Amino acid sequence: MSLADELYRETILDHYHNPRNQGVLEGPSILSVEGVNPLCGDELILYLDVKDGKVEGISIKSRGCSINTASSSMMTEAVKGLPVERVEELIDAFKNMMLKGEQTAVPEEFEDLEALQGVKKYPVRIKCALLPWNTLIEALHSAASGETAKAISTE
Amino acid sequence: MSLADELYRETILDHYHNPRNQGVLEGPSILSVEGVNPLCGDELILYLDVKDGKVEGISIKSRGCSINTASSSMMTEAVKGLPVERVEELIDAFKNMMLKGEQTAVPEEFEDLEALQGVKKYPVRIKCALLPWNTLIEALHSAASGETAKAISTE
Amino acid sequence: MLDVARVRKDFPILDRIVNGRPLVYLDSAATSQKPQCVIDSITDYYSRYNSNIHRGIHSLGEEATAAYEGVREKVCNFIKATSAREVIFTRNTTEAVNLVASTYGRQHILAGDEILLTPLEHHSNLIPWQTLAKERDAKLVYCDVTEDGKVDVESVKRLINSRTRIVAVTLTSNVLGTIVPVAEICTIAHASGAVVFVDGAQAVPHLPVSVQDLQCDFLAFSMHKMLGPTGVGILWGKAEILEEMPPQMYGGNMINSVWRDRVILNQVPWRFEAGTPNIADVIASGVALDYLQALGMNNVRAHEKQLSQYALAQFSKIPGIKLYGPSTVEDRAGVFSFNLSGVHPHDVGQIVNEEGIAIRVGHHCCQPLMRDLDISGTARASFYVYTTEEEIDLLIGALDKARKVLGHVACR
Amino acid sequence: MLDVARVRKDFPILDRIVNGRPLVYLDSAATSQKPQCVIDSITDYYSRYNSNIHRGIHSLGEEATAAYEGVREKVCNFIKATSAREVIFTRNTTEAVNLVASTYGRQHILAGDEILLTPLEHHSNLIPWQTLAKERDAKLVYCDVTEDGKVDVESVKRLINSRTRIVAVTLTSNVLGTIVPVAEICTIAHASGAVVFVDGAQAVPHLPVSVQDLQCDFLAFSMHKMLGPTGVGILWGKAEILEEMPPQMYGGNMINSVWRDRVILNQVPWRFEAGTPNIADVIASGVALDYLQALGMNNVRAHEKQLSQYALAQFSKIPGIKLYGPSTVEDRAGVFSFNLSGVHPHDVGQIVNEEGIAIRVGHHCCQPLMRDLDISGTARASFYVYTTEEEIDLLIGALDKARKVLGHVACR
Ligand SMILES: Cc1ncc(COP(=O)(O)O)c(C=O)c1O
Ligand SMILES: Cc1ncc(COP(=O)(O)O)c(C=O)c1O
């Protein structure tokens, strides 16, 4: 199998070239969290708007690689509008898929995410895919505890 | 050649078992300098009495190895009563003999010192032989500049 | 038990001839010899996958990173720690002590505080604390040792108090061979709120050591003393303590984000590993750990106990010998310091070297202990997995020669 | 000139197959590959004369000590220093910087003082100074760089003043390849009474470097970047400065005498080398120096200049490439950072790795420079004595593929 078949699948390239939910969200209830991959220097800022236990708004500002950008884009699409509990389940499912090598059944409506399965064969890139998700975990914690901006790393 | 022929010559063993000028010198004009070989921990204290440009008295207190003790003993015998200038020449001659591998002509009256030539073949022991001499250099400096006790190392 | 003949075949240096005789290496406490597999792993690394780590996306970088980080897991298992993130690679034990003294120490030691040491400490587990105490106007306190070189635990109980912040203690003395009851000391220290830093340089290579059993807060040791290469030390620390410690050095690899005027640091343990580490030797250290684990640390200990029993019996037959340290093998490791009456240790070392026997002489970086014992130094024979009773016999024979060449017997 | 084909035969890793293709190693700025003679010297050391040093009276100890100390002489000759006592062995460049910042730095930097850096500095020659400046309430000042990545010497002249105590400057940028006019900067700095710390990590391996010509006060570099093993760095400093510096670490080997409550330190350079050093790798470093000296550093430089000329020409043909750093080979080393429009460096690295080509991607431990350039990172290809023009061609071909897989060309 070639790299293009395994890693750079069409779905990924689509999200890379046309990332969804990019940019800055502004507003009084919006929380921003910085995510950093210290090894390659990839940085992103995640903007999150949680209202009544639901992800009302989410966006990401970054200059990441294809995997990072695609993962960010897919993630924001997947979690927007979901109750926080469902988001947490999805995060768990995604991290299991990436880290445990399990062929976890991703809920049908998020099938785009399955395209990231190929990343598992490239261990150094797993961090690229996880960065937005780890940043989201941090953002949800902050939202729950009423904190403000924060920087985290995925190491 | 055996170790006993090269290193542990009779003259050396004689000075080792019956070291000359051992112990503490006391008095108002007496200067003491500590010498240390940091690698093996050998320490000695040299007592020096310089009057009118002459080594009036000298003694060494130590618990050194055979080479160190013999070298100390021979040195004190050799320099006692000599004018400082002659002592300095002798120190140079001795250090040249030990470090340069030169078969320096040691003045006849100090022929005991020649027994230490064998040490040259055992580089780690050269420091043992030099410790009293380096300490004496330091002591002469101190005497010249009117300083008091000091610790030096031969490294 | 160890099959020593087989073990010896793994150590190429044991074929070495010194002064016309086969090498008898009795200086393992200074540094151990290395089995072929450890040497080979260095060759293999440089010949197949040498690369800088962490920052690489290419295959060599990935392989090197995985191998390097894998050794953290091996260390973790070897000392029964709970997480590989508690394992920091240093250059040696000395750097590990300095790291803790200059970070945790500076954070916690204030004027009037106390640091408790044993009189057995190696300079490396003494001067950093002494320097810290001076800097902070704190007090160094030494517990007592008994006549036969054991740590007097009663004195530890008596001396530890609410001002004691750190107890720095060796698990095995590199001079006397004493095995110190560190688990007991940890209990006493923790009851007073002090943390315990354990110098495991002479213990981890020779005994099964579990940080869970000891309940210590820090453990340091050197891979070069346990079949590994020079240039690698281990600092293990409890995660919750490491998390709060600032780094001792700054540079590449230990940061998250850097600006011209500020920095966000990386997580533990990487925060403490600035710059390109000693990659090849860390990987080779993993091979050394595997080798020891395959031998079984219980077997290593049993072998050295048996050698010690033999050595105690043989040494005691030498006229005029003064042997230091405990006289029961349960309380001691295979490190034997001694003096021959009328023969300076230097001369002992030189004369036995003439027979191809390598022992160490001097103060063994324990000058305060030498001063306590009122001696300038000792001769020291130390054993490891490849040491045999025959080698002890050869030493005994050579000591006899030393006495004849230099001792009072030969004195006219 | 170098006979590169012959040189390549000395490097066993160049036979490596990566992803089905022969390895093309273009990551020498991260760490260099090692010739067989360096690898062999490690094997030889562990198989023949492994021993702890300085303290031994036995033959192995004597041989190991002589070999270890002999490398100081070799370093001294290599950088045209006047005395081997000015050579200190560290783990890497990073440790060398930290050593000076935490000793000399703490001695001399007071509130309001200034430390001058270039914006090109590697984190290792930046964060230690940043941390020192914070600790002391001193000021970090950055000089300017020109559009093509050269240090603006006029800005150095303007910025250095009587409060400037230390100028920390790289001799070659690991990102832009820029060769910095350090001799000129030293003259300016010394006229104001500042000392100059030179990060030679990317320079000493690639150019003839003479501390006498530079007239700098400190020079640091890493042996792993110049054919030597991992785990050895060099700090050179002027004797009269080193003499006045306190040690950064305490322990075995760096003392003269120790009591329970005080210590008398050893002389320079041993005062700065606490504990058992990385003996095997220091000795192997000497072999690496011999190898480079046999090639001739002038030839090494000429070879890399020629490669750089070729690379500049080839790179410029790639559509959508942005190449960083000076465009004249006289002003630059064989380190090429670039970006392809629409392709993130990570993806570039991954795709060329598929062809067996190892390049580095990311911020290269120069995040402030990345921020200045307003990019998240670059892809970087770096050359050394074994690099050929054919390898550059292979990279160019692979970059074309990267553009096709990911670039805007392929964008639907
Ligand atoms: C310019 C420069 N300085 C310092 C360093 C740090 O070197 P090391 O990681 O060997 O300490 C490097 C290499 O990464 C470098 O390129
Ligand atoms: C008990 C003890 N602690 C510390 C050390 C220092 O170890 P290293 O020189 O590897 O730092 C040694 C070994 O010399 C030792 O025996």
Side-chain angles (χ1 to χ4, degrees):
Chain A
M1 284 236 285
S2 84
L3 196 63
D5 296 331
E6 272 180 7
L7 193 61
Y8 297 125
R9 299 189 194 169
E10 228 171 273
T11 326
I12 290 183
L13 292 183
D14 176 40
H15 279 273
Y16 175 48
H17 290 303
N18 310 293
R20 334 296 196 244
N21 305 306
Q22 273 274 322
V24 181
L25 279 192
E26 277 174 10
S29 63
I30 283 159
L31 199 133
S32 76
V33 174
E34 203 177 318
V36 179
N37 182 338
L39 302 183
C40 60
D42 272 357
E43 298 174 345
L44 58 79
I45 304 177
L46 184 145
Y47 298 89
L48 186 69
D49 190 8
V50 173
K51 273 204 200 89
D52 304 331
K54 248 179 72 183
V55 174
E56 282 291 330
I58 181 167
S59 78
I60 282 179
K61 195 167 175 307
S62 77
R63 278 198 292 208
C65 65
S66 58
I67 304 305
N68 179 312
T69 305
S71 183
S72 293
S73 171
M74 293 174 183
M75 180 186 85
T76 55
E77 264 200 325
V79 305
K80 204 173 190 168
L82 289 192
V84 168
E85 275 161 42
R86 278 290 288 129
V87 173
E88 280 167 350
E89 279 167 36
L90 187 64
I91 295 174
D92 278 353
F94 184 78
K95 290 190 76 168
N96 274 338
M97 175 178 102
M98 297 308 288
L99 295 174
K100 302 259 172 71
E102 286 168 25
Q103 193 80 22
T104 326
V106 180
E108 209 176 305
E109 63 270 40
F110 311 127
E111 57 186 348
D112 270 15
L113 287 171
E114 276 202 20
L116 286 167
Q117 295 248 26
V119 175
K120 283 193 296 191
K121 298 220 174 121
Y122 301 87
V124 277
R125 303 305 291 279
I126 293 177
K127 292 200 176 110
C128 307
L130 287 181
L131 181 60
W133 299 81
N134 284 326
T135 312
L136 179 57
I137 293 176
E138 202 62 29
L140 290 172
H141 282 175
S142 296
S145 64
E147 273 179 49
T148 49
K150 222 178 170 180
I152 73 136
S153 99
T154 56
E155 236 325 303
Chain B
M1 283 236 285
S2 83
L3 196 64
D5 295 331
E6 271 179 9
L7 192 64
Y8 297 124
R9 299 189 193 167
E10 226 172 273
T11 326
I12 289 183
L13 291 183
D14 175 40
H15 279 274
Y16 173 49
H17 290 304
N18 310 293
R20 334 297 195 243
N21 304 305
Q22 274 273 322
V24 181
L25 279 191
E26 278 174 13
S29 64
I30 283 160
L31 198 134
S32 76
V33 174
E34 203 177 317
V36 178
N37 182 339
L39 301 183
C40 61
D42 271 358
E43 298 174 345
L44 58 78
I45 303 176
L46 184 144
Y47 299 88
L48 185 69
D49 192 6
V50 173
K51 271 206 200 90
D52 305 330
K54 247 180 71 183
V55 173
E56 282 290 329
I58 182 167
S59 79
I60 282 178
K61 193 168 175 306
S62 78
R63 278 198 291 210
C65 66
S66 58
I67 305 303
N68 179 312
T69 306
S71 182
S72 294
S73 170
M74 292 173 184
M75 179 187 86
T76 55
E77 265 199 323
V79 305
K80 204 172 190 169
L82 289 191
V84 168
E85 277 159 43
R86 278 290 288 129
V87 173
E88 281 167 350
E89 281 167 34
L90 188 63
I91 295 174
D92 278 351
F94 184 77
K95 288 190 78 167
N96 275 337
M97 174 179 103
M98 297 307 289
L99 295 174
K100 302 258 172 72
E102 286 167 25
Q103 193 78 25
T104 327
V106 180
E108 210 179 306
E109 62 268 42
F110 312 126
E111 58 186 348
D112 271 13
L113 287 172
E114 277 203 18
L116 286 167
Q117 296 247 23
V119 175
K120 283 194 296 191
K121 298 220 174 123
Y122 301 86
V124 277
R125 304 304 293 277
I126 292 177
K127 292 200 177 109
C128 308
L130 287 181
L131 182 60
W133 298 81
N134 284 326
T135 313
L136 179 56
I137 294 176
E138 201 64 28
L140 290 172
H141 282 175
S142 297
S145 63
E147 273 178 48
T148 47
K150 223 178 171 182
I152 72 134
S153 99
T154 57
E155 237 324 303
Chain C
M1 279 298 277
L2 300 187
D3 179 348
V4 181
R6 244 191 74 186
V7 167
R8 288 177 67 85
K9 290 213 180 77
D10 293 332
F11 291 78
I13 206 170
L14 297 179
D15 293 335
R16 169 79 196 261
I17 301 296
V18 171
N19 292 325
R21 313 281 178 98
L23 168 67
V24 174
Y25 188 74
L26 297 173
D27 194 18
S28 290
T31 198
S32 80
Q33 295 304 339
K34 325 298 174 198
Q36 192 65 48
C37 56
V38 167
I39 305 173
D40 286 346
S41 87
I42 297 173
T43 304
D44 182 52
Y45 170 76
Y46 287 127
S47 309
R48 281 208 313 112
Y49 63 106
N50 168 61
S51 162
N52 215 321
I53 56 169
H54 291 319
R55 290 166 288 178
I57 207 163
H58 55 67
S59 298
L60 302 187
E62 227 176 291
E63 293 169 26
T65 304
Y68 178 88
E69 290 297 329
V71 178
R72 261 190 246 281
E73 298 286 345
K74 291 183 183 189
V75 172
C76 177
N77 293 336
F78 198 85
I79 59 172
K80 310 267 186 304
T82 47
S83 163
R85 305 184 72 162
E86 298 179 326
V87 174
I88 298 164
F89 296 117
T90 65
R91 175 172 38 241
N92 48 30
T93 302
T94 303
E95 192 186 15
V97 184
N98 280 276
L99 196 169
V100 175
S102 69
T103 57
Y104 183 89
R106 284 205 178 121
Q107 275 181 317
H108 290 89
I109 295 292
L110 302 173
D113 284 346
E114 296 182 8
I115 302 171
L116 185 83
L117 306 178
T118 83
L120 305 175
E121 300 311 318
H122 187 280
H123 292 165
S124 293
N125 197 31
L126 190 173
I127 315 178
W129 305 115
Q130 195 187 83
T131 307
L132 173 66
K134 273 225 173 97
E135 187 185 308
R136 289 298 153 98
D137 206 13
K139 210 170 127 191
L140 272 199
V141 178
Y142 289 86
C143 71
D144 299 337
V145 285
T146 61
E147 195 59 31
D148 59 346
K150 290 189 214 160
V151 165
D152 177 354
V153 178
E154 287 308 312
S155 77
V156 174
K157 275 193 196 140
R158 201 174 60 238
L159 291 166
I160 286 188
N161 63 68
S162 63
R163 303 264 25 192
T164 312
R165 293 279 168 272
I166 298 172
V167 178
V169 52
T170 191
L171 185 43
T172 300
S173 160
N174 65 310
V175 173
L176 305 182
T178 317
I179 298 173
V180 177
V182 167
E184 218 177 318
I185 292 175
C186 285
T187 308
I188 303 169
H190 289 159
S192 289
V195 303
V196 182
F197 183 100
V198 178
D199 174 354
Q202 295 295 342
V204 179
H206 301 281
L207 320 161
V209 171
S210 151
V211 293
Q212 286 179 46
D213 290 351
L214 291 179
Q215 283 294 318
C216 56
D217 301 281
F218 295 102
L219 175 71
F221 53 100
S222 295
M223 289 307 307
H224 72 87
K225 293 189 199 279
M226 49 195 293
L227 311 185
T230 53
V232 182
I234 307 291
L235 171 63
W236 169 87
K238 279 187 187 154
E240 61 267 31
I241 298 181
L242 296 181
E243 294 290 351
E244 302 299 320
M245 271 163 51
Q248 84 288 15
M249 271 188 224
Y250 299 83
N253 276 339
M254 51 74 72
I255 55 93
N256 233 341
S257 296
V258 185
W259 291 261
R260 282 190 171 197
D261 59 348
R262 70 196 166 92
V263 60
I264 296 174
L265 301 175
N266 199 346
Q267 301 193 332
V268 169
W270 300 282
R271 186 197 297 165
F272 300 105
E273 294 176 10
T276 305
N278 188 353
I279 306 168
D281 292 331
V282 165
I283 294 173
S285 296
V287 177
L289 293 174
D290 289 345
Y291 186 94
L292 283 172
Q293 212 127 41
L295 292 182
M297 289 308 294
N298 279 315
N299 294 328
V300 171
R301 172 65 181 145
H303 171 63
E304 291 184 30
K305 242 173 156 168
Q306 186 173 312
L307 285 174
S308 297
Q309 193 71 62
Y310 186 76
L312 281 170
Q314 299 307 308
F315 275 126
S316 68
K317 293 181 192 156
I318 301 175
I321 197 171
K322 164 78 184 146
L323 200 59
Y324 302 94
S327 52
T328 42
V329 293
E330 283 70 29
D331 302 306
R332 65 171 304 141
V335 181
F336 287 85
S337 273
F338 58 91
N339 268 314
L340 296 182
S341 97
V343 192
H344 189 280
H346 256 202
D347 294 306
V348 174
Q350 181 94 56
I351 293 166
V352 306
N353 181 59
E354 228 29 45
E355 315 286 311
I357 302 172
I359 62 170
R360 186 132 304 223
V361 300
H363 54 61
H364 315 293
C365 294
C366 286
Q367 282 195 339
L369 178 60
M370 296 297 129
R371 294 181 208 280
D372 291 351
L373 296 169
D374 195 25
I375 53 181
S376 70
T378 72
R380 182 188 74 182
S382 53
F383 314 147
Y384 209 10
V385 292
Y386 35 70
T387 308
T388 64
E389 294 186 355
E390 292 69 47
E391 291 183 310
I392 295 172
D393 290 340
L394 288 167
L395 172 64
I396 302 281
L399 292 179
D400 200 49
K401 192 172 158 193
R403 283 196 314 122
K404 290 207 178 101
V405 174
L406 269 187
H408 286 307
V409 192
C411 184
R412 284 152 308 153
Chain D
M1 281 296 278
L2 299 187
D3 179 348
V4 181
R6 243 191 74 186
V7 166
R8 288 178 67 85
K9 290 214 181 77
D10 293 332
F11 290 78
I13 205 170
L14 298 178
D15 293 334
R16 170 79 196 262
I17 301 296
V18 171
N19 292 324
R21 314 280 178 99
L23 169 66
V24 173
Y25 187 75
L26 297 173
D27 194 18
S28 289
T31 197
S32 80
Q33 295 304 340
K34 326 298 175 197
Q36 191 66 48
C37 58
V38 168
I39 304 173
D40 286 347
S41 88
I42 297 173
T43 305
D44 182 52
Y45 170 76
Y46 287 127
S47 309
R48 280 208 312 113
Y49 63 106
N50 168 60
S51 163
N52 215 321
I53 56 170
H54 291 318
R55 290 166 287 180
I57 208 162
H58 55 69
S59 299
L60 301 187
E62 227 175 290
E63 294 169 25
T65 303
Y68 178 88
E69 290 297 329
V71 179
R72 260 189 247 281
E73 299 287 345
K74 292 185 183 188
V75 173
C76 177
N77 293 336
F78 197 85
I79 59 171
K80 310 269 186 302
T82 47
S83 163
R85 303 184 73 163
E86 298 179 325
V87 174
I88 298 164
F89 295 117
T90 64
R91 175 173 37 242
N92 48 30
T93 302
T94 304
E95 191 185 16
V97 183
N98 280 277
L99 196 169
V100 175
S102 69
T103 57
Y104 184 88
R106 284 207 178 118
Q107 273 180 319
H108 290 88
I109 295 292
L110 302 173
D113 284 347
E114 296 181 10
I115 302 171
L116 184 84
L117 306 179
T118 83
L120 305 176
E121 300 312 317
H122 187 281
H123 292 164
S124 293
N125 197 31
L126 189 173
I127 316 181
W129 305 115
Q130 193 187 84
T131 307
L132 173 66
K134 275 229 170 89
E135 187 184 307
R136 288 299 153 96
D137 206 12
K139 209 169 126 191
L140 272 200
V141 178
Y142 289 87
C143 71
D144 299 336
V145 284
T146 61
E147 195 58 32
D148 60 344
K150 290 189 212 157
V151 165
D152 177 354
V153 177
E154 287 308 312
S155 77
V156 174
K157 274 192 195 140
R158 202 175 59 238
L159 292 166
I160 287 187
N161 63 69
S162 64
R163 303 262 28 189
T164 312
R165 293 279 167 274
I166 297 172
V167 177
V169 52
T170 191
L171 186 42
T172 300
S173 159
N174 65 310
V175 173
L176 306 181
T178 317
I179 298 173
V180 177
V182 167
E184 220 178 317
I185 293 175
C186 285
T187 308
I188 304 168
H190 289 159
S192 288
V195 303
V196 182
F197 183 100
V198 178
D199 174 355
Q202 295 296 342
V204 180
H206 301 281
L207 320 160
V209 170
S210 151
V211 294
Q212 285 179 45
D213 291 350
L214 291 180
Q215 283 293 319
C216 57
D217 302 282
F218 295 101
L219 175 70
F221 53 101
S222 295
M223 290 307 307
H224 72 87
K225 294 189 199 280
M226 47 195 293
L227 311 185
T230 53
V232 181
I234 306 291
L235 172 64
W236 169 86
K238 279 187 187 152
E240 61 268 30
I241 298 181
L242 296 180
E243 294 290 353
E244 302 299 321
M245 270 163 51
Q248 83 289 15
M249 272 189 223
Y250 298 83
N253 275 340
M254 52 73 72
I255 55 94
N256 233 339
S257 295
V258 185
W259 291 262
R260 283 190 170 198
D261 59 350
R262 69 196 167 94
V263 59
I264 297 175
L265 300 175
N266 199 345
Q267 300 193 332
V268 169
W270 301 281
R271 186 199 295 164
F272 300 105
E273 296 176 9
T276 304
N278 188 352
I279 306 166
D281 292 330
V282 165
I283 294 173
S285 296
V287 177
L289 293 174
D290 290 345
Y291 186 93
L292 283 173
Q293 213 126 42
L295 292 182
M297 288 309 292
N298 279 315
N299 294 327
V300 171
R301 172 65 181 145
H303 171 63
E304 292 185 28
K305 243 173 155 169
Q306 185 173 312
L307 286 174
S308 297
Q309 194 72 63
Y310 187 76
L312 280 169
Q314 299 307 308
F315 275 126
S316 66
K317 293 183 193 156
I318 301 176
I321 197 171
K322 164 78 184 147
L323 200 60
Y324 302 93
S327 52
T328 43
V329 294
E330 284 69 29
D331 302 307
R332 65 171 304 142
V335 181
F336 287 84
S337 273
F338 59 90
N339 268 313
L340 296 183
S341 96
V343 192
H344 190 280
H346 257 202
D347 294 306
V348 175
Q350 181 94 56
I351 293 167
V352 308
N353 181 59
E354 226 32 44
E355 316 284 311
I357 303 172
I359 62 170
R360 186 133 306 224
V361 300
H363 55 61
H364 314 293
C365 294
C366 285
Q367 283 196 336
L369 179 59
M370 296 296 128
R371 294 181 208 279
D372 291 351
L373 296 170
D374 194 24
I375 50 180
S376 71
T378 72
R380 183 187 74 183
S382 54
F383 314 146
Y384 209 11
V385 292
Y386 35 70
T387 307
T388 64
E389 295 186 353
E390 291 70 47
E391 291 182 310
I392 295 173
D393 290 340
L394 288 166
L395 172 63
I396 302 282
L399 292 180
D400 200 48
K401 191 172 160 193
R403 282 197 316 123
K404 290 209 180 100
V405 173
L406 269 188
H408 286 306
V409 193
C411 184
R412 288 152 304 153

